[in-house]
């Protein structure tokens, strides 16, 4: 039994290492989003850090319109990045977790 516990602890440490490696890798995964008319483009990492923002001159003339575009496009980009982030981290965690009966954490 003690050996099983040590084995599980080792597997959990491996899982934590895989999760940390995945988090670092997600800094290099880029998510691009733009408005339907192409006036605003944003690029985020899968860890939801903004890398670039491209705003058309046309949008700079109307503050309210620019704000609306920023909210719309950033929210879509953040949603995409979050989906990628959660899927990748769940896969990394599931791959490295020990099989503990009754602990179906990732179905």
């Amino acid at each position: 039994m003690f050996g099983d516990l040590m084995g599980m602890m080792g597997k959990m440490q491996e899982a934590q290492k895989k999760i940390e490696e995945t988090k670092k890798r997600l800094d290099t995964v880029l998510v691009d989003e733009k408005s339907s008319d192409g006036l605003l483009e944003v690029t985020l990492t899968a860890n939801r850090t903004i890398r670039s923002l491209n705003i058309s001159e046309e949008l700079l003339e109307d503050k309210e319109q620019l704000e609306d575009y920023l909210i719309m496009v950033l929210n879509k980009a953040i949603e995409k990045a979050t989906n990628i982030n959660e899927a990748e981290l769940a896969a990394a965690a599931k791959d490295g977790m020990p099989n503990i009966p009754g602990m179906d954490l990732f179905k």
Side-chain angles (χ1 to χ4, degrees):
M1 179 172 154
F2 187 69
D4 289 343
L5 182 60
M6 293 301 290
M8 282 192 283
M9 292 298 288
K11 286 222 179 238
M12 290 179 78
Q13 287 175 338
E14 265 182 55
Q16 184 62 36
K17 183 179 177 185
K18 284 184 181 186
I19 289 169
E20 292 304 317
E21 289 170 356
T22 300
K23 285 180 182 179
K24 285 180 185 175
R25 186 178 57 77
L26 289 173
D27 278 332
T28 65
V29 175
L30 300 179
V31 176
D32 296 313
E33 186 62 51
K34 64 181 176 179
S35 61
S36 57
D37 55 12
L39 296 179
L40 179 71
E41 297 177 18
V42 65
T43 300
L44 305 177
T45 68
N47 280 327
R48 298 169 297 253
T49 300
I50 297 173
R51 283 289 178 93
S52 69
L53 192 60
N54 186 3
I55 303 170
S56 166
E57 290 288 327
E58 181 181 327
L59 285 178
L60 295 177
E61 297 169 9
D62 185 343
K63 181 182 180 290
E64 286 183 28
Q65 184 182 18
L66 175 57
E67 290 170 346
D68 290 343
Y69 270 68
L70 284 167
I71 291 168
M72 177 185 63
V73 175
L74 284 169
N75 280 334
K76 284 200 287 187
I78 290 168
E79 181 180 354
K80 283 182 180 179
T82 298
N83 290 341
I84 292 168
N85 183 288
E86 289 175 354
E88 293 285 329
L89 290 177
K94 183 177 181 178
D95 185 44
M97 286 298 249
N99 186 14
I100 302 171
M103 296 281 293
D104 296 329
L105 299 176
F106 304 101
K107 286 187 174 188

